[in-house]
Amino acid sequence: MFTYTFAQIVLAVYAIFLAVGGAIGYYRVGSRASLIAGVASAILCVAALLYSLLVNPLHGLWAATTIALGLMFFFNYRFVAFSLRFMPAGMLAIVSLVVFTSLLITVI
């Protein structure tokens, strides 16, 4: 069920989601930090995706799993530390958890 191709698609969607989320944060609230963090996270995910497509699928997906785990902890911290508002930190923590779990199941 969880193949390398499925994980690569999940990773591509996640990268797009991160970049768009950062752009929305910038345009709605004017947060440069949101834009920079969203685009930087998306670039890391795209780099892991390209590595998994071009060099070694297992190593690239392990890198992506590590990135998703780090983002999951970061967004969970933001959710708990700052007012427990679901949007955007809570939603991104859940999305990162789903992506992390999908990638981990694939690489194990």
Side-chain angles (χ1 to χ4, degrees):
M1 179 175 161
F2 290 96
T3 63
Y4 287 156
T5 304
F6 173 77
Q8 290 164 342
I9 292 169
V10 167
L11 184 58
V13 171
Y14 185 53
I16 292 168
F17 190 74
L18 290 169
V20 169
I24 289 172
Y26 177 74
Y27 289 118
R28 292 187 90 191
V29 185
S31 171
R32 277 192 196 163
S34 179
L35 178 64
I36 292 168
V39 171
S41 299
I43 288 171
L44 286 174
C45 288
V46 168
L49 175 64
L50 289 175
Y51 193 86
S52 75
L53 288 170
L54 302 175
V55 180
N56 186 334
L58 186 61
H59 292 159
L61 292 176
W62 267 114
T65 303
T66 305
I67 293 166
L69 178 65
L71 289 173
M72 181 185 66
F73 280 126
F74 172 75
F75 289 125
N76 189 42
Y77 166 75
R78 296 280 300 187
F79 175 68
V80 172
F82 298 102
S83 75
L84 294 176
R85 288 185 31 208
F86 182 71
M87 289 297 288
M91 180 195 58
L92 286 168
I94 292 171
V95 169
S96 296
L97 174 64
V98 170
V99 170
F100 168 73
T101 305
S102 300
L103 292 172
L104 187 64
I105 289 170
T106 302
V107 295
I108 288 184

